[in-house]
Structure formats: structure tokens, C-alpha cells
Amino acid sequence: MSDCDRIAKAIAYITERTTDQPSLEAIAAHVHLSPFHFQRLFCRWAGTTPKRFLQVLTLERGKQLLHEAGSLLNVSNALGLSSSSRLHDHFVQLEAVTPGEYKNKGKNLTIEYGVHPTPFGRLFVAVSSRGICRASFLDVDHDVEQQLVKLKNTWPLASFSRNDETTGAVVSTMFDKAKVTDRPLSLHIPGTNFQIAVWKALLQIPPGTVVSYSQLAAALGHPQSSRAIGSAIAANPVAFLIPCHRVIQQSGALGGYRWGPARKHAIQLWERAQISSTTT
């Protein structure tokens, strides 16, 4: 089992057993490590201690996060819909595929892909010279072929090759908060005008916070379009980087997530714990 797989397994274990308040020893034993080794490994991968992660998991709930979003800042501003806004998170730059590019079906386009471990499972990543065009968490091995089929359906005339070195650098930047880059990560993805608008709005939600579908719809000027907003979120082609995991139901419930509700919950808590650890 790789270090990343151990951390993913530990995060799932902590999330599932929050009410039991598992000890460091119990969590370490679950992934077959000594408490000392596990503590160091968890801090390196998750950016915080297991104890702090459990505290955040225990205390933070969807309704509280929504309350904070509403009371600490104007939702429209938080979503980057003001002149003073800037992209949050990894300084991600989203560039939509032009109609002409889409019409060409990927002619003369080379797409490289790879599969890499992350704290939340294996991630399939595909990049072109213009930026990241797909990122999807995998649950089983044959998902790689499914992702390739989807890419080839979108870009039937493109050429495809596996290059773990290129995509590995991208994944490292996605998950390593301390990594310094000299330019924004670029996304180069196709979508309708409405989808692109929703995805750009998602990029403005600060790490560690959440908004509801209705808040997002209102901020985008479509207060009656929560269902359409949800459909655009579900079509998100770039996991984690376009943070659809930061949108939950008005009730505080997690809501859907194409890569599984447990993973959505774990990512939210991971982000919250990292931010909390830097302010305590």
C-alpha cells in the first residue's frame, strides 16, 4: 500500500468514525503503521495533524459553514462577481474552448494523460498545450479506459499519449499548498456559456467555505435556476481544481457529488483543517 493510499484510507476511517473519536493509535493501526510514523506521514500529506482533522470533522457542519458564508462576507463578492474579485485557491485560470476549436474536434491537438495518487484516491489527469482538460477521481482500474473514451469522444481527431511526468507535475501543484508556481494553472475545457459561467463562479469560493445551490444561483443572477446550476456542477470535468465540492444543499446536507459523497466530505474537511491549522 502506498503512502497516499494509507492517508486516503485513514481519512475515510476518521470520517466514518467521527462519533467514536478514534485515537491516534487506533487510526495508525488501521493503516498498519506506528503512531509516530503515521503522525508524521499524515501531517506531510494532509497539512495538519490527525487530531486537528478529527476536531474539525467533529465541529464543522454544513449549516454552520453556510452561516459563516452569509455573515462574514457578501456571497456575490465571495463568488468573484465584483470588480475587485480575484481567483481563489490555486490561482486557476479557466479558458473556454472556442467554437472553432470545438468544431475542429481536436485536429492537431496532442493530449497527454496520467494517473496519480492523491489524499482522496487515484486521479486521472489529462492536459493539452493550453491547459488541463480533464481531472477525475478513479475508483477502479478500468475507469482509466472510460476516461480515455470520454476524452476521445470530445476530441476525436486529437492524438493521445501517456506521460506521467507531465501530469505528475500538475497533480503536485494541485495538492501541495506550499508549492510555488510562476504562473496560474490553466484549464482548457469545453462547455456551454452557462456551464462556463458556473464553473468560473465555483473558482471564486474560498477554500474551507461552502455555499448552497440557491446562493450560487442567486449570485449568478438566476435565482430560479438552482436545478440548472446543479446540472452544470455535475458536468464539471476537472475534479478538485474546479471546486464543486464546496456547494451543498441549503439544509446543510452534502448534496450530490459525481465522485462520491464520502470523498466530497473528506475534501471539505481536509481544506477546512488545513486553514484551521494555519490560524491556531
Side-chain angles (χ1 to χ4, degrees):
M1 183 185 298
S2 69
D3 287 346
C4 182
D5 288 338
R6 286 191 174 92
I7 296 306
K9 187 175 180 180
I11 287 175
Y13 181 85
I14 296 170
T15 303
E16 293 169 359
R17 291 167 174 77
T18 304
T19 56
D20 298 331
Q21 294 291 289
S23 65
L24 174 65
E25 291 75 15
I27 305 169
H30 183 68
V31 294
H32 309 293
L33 292 175
S34 70
F36 176 78
H37 186 191
F38 172 70
Q39 174 97 347
R40 292 184 61 185
L41 187 68
F42 192 92
C43 288
R44 178 161 62 85
W45 274 91
T48 190
T49 66
K51 180 179 180 181
R52 186 59 187 162
F53 185 86
L54 181 59
Q55 288 174 340
V56 171
L57 180 58
T58 302
L59 296 175
E60 299 297 342
R61 291 291 181 261
K63 284 186 178 180
Q64 178 62 28
L65 290 176
L66 285 174
H67 173 74
E68 291 175 7
S71 61
L72 296 180
L73 45 82
N74 179 278
V75 173
S76 293
N77 287 337
L79 295 177
L81 302 181
S82 67
S83 59
S84 61
S85 68
R86 66 172 178 82
L87 292 179
H88 286 277
D89 208 8
H90 305 276
F91 298 100
V92 178
Q93 177 178 300
L94 191 160
E95 181 180 355
V97 171
T98 66
E101 290 172 329
Y102 190 76
K103 184 178 180 180
N104 287 337
K105 300 181 179 180
K107 185 177 181 180
N108 300 321
L109 182 68
T110 297
I111 296 177
E112 297 177 314
Y113 66 93
V115 179
H116 304 276
T118 78
F120 311 105
R122 296 162 68 239
L123 186 73
F124 174 94
V125 176
V127 299
S128 71
S129 60
R130 301 282 295 277
I132 302 166
C133 47
R134 183 171 293 273
S136 183
F137 288 109
L138 305 177
D139 291 317
V140 293
D141 289 339
H142 69 257
D143 280 352
V144 174
E145 294 303 321
Q146 292 180 351
Q147 293 302 319
L148 279 175
V149 168
K150 291 178 181 178
L151 274 176
K152 291 176 180 178
N153 286 340
T154 303
W155 308 111
L157 300 183
S159 60
F160 297 84
S161 64
R162 181 154 184 166
N163 189 331
D164 288 318
E165 182 177 356
T166 297
T167 55
V170 171
V171 173
S172 177
T173 302
M174 289 172 65
F175 292 93
D176 187 350
K177 299 291 184 181
K179 189 175 180 65
V180 178
T181 58
D182 59 356
R183 57 183 177 178
L185 280 173
S186 295
L187 307 181
H188 189 227
I189 52 180
T192 66
N193 290 340
F194 184 76
Q195 288 174 329
I196 295 296
V198 172
W199 298 338
K200 284 185 174 180
L202 293 176
L203 288 170
Q204 312 303 321
I205 306 172
T209 63
V210 297
V211 300
S212 69
Y213 292 93
S214 58
Q215 284 176 324
L216 188 61
L220 283 166
H222 299 280
Q224 306 302 318
S225 301
S226 294
R227 186 178 297 274
I229 295 288
S231 295
I233 290 174
N236 171 22
V238 183
F240 187 80
L241 213 52
I242 297 179
C244 55
H245 56 271
R246 296 179 191 155
V247 184
I248 65 175
Q249 295 178 2
Q250 188 68 44
S251 65
L254 280 177
Y257 190 59
R258 66 186 298 181
W259 295 286
R263 184 175 277 123
K264 179 178 184 178
H265 196 192
I267 294 173
Q268 287 178 355
L269 293 165
W270 180 79
E271 289 186 334
R272 191 71 176 174
Q274 287 198 319
I275 292 172
S276 179
S277 66
T278 63
T279 58
T280 56

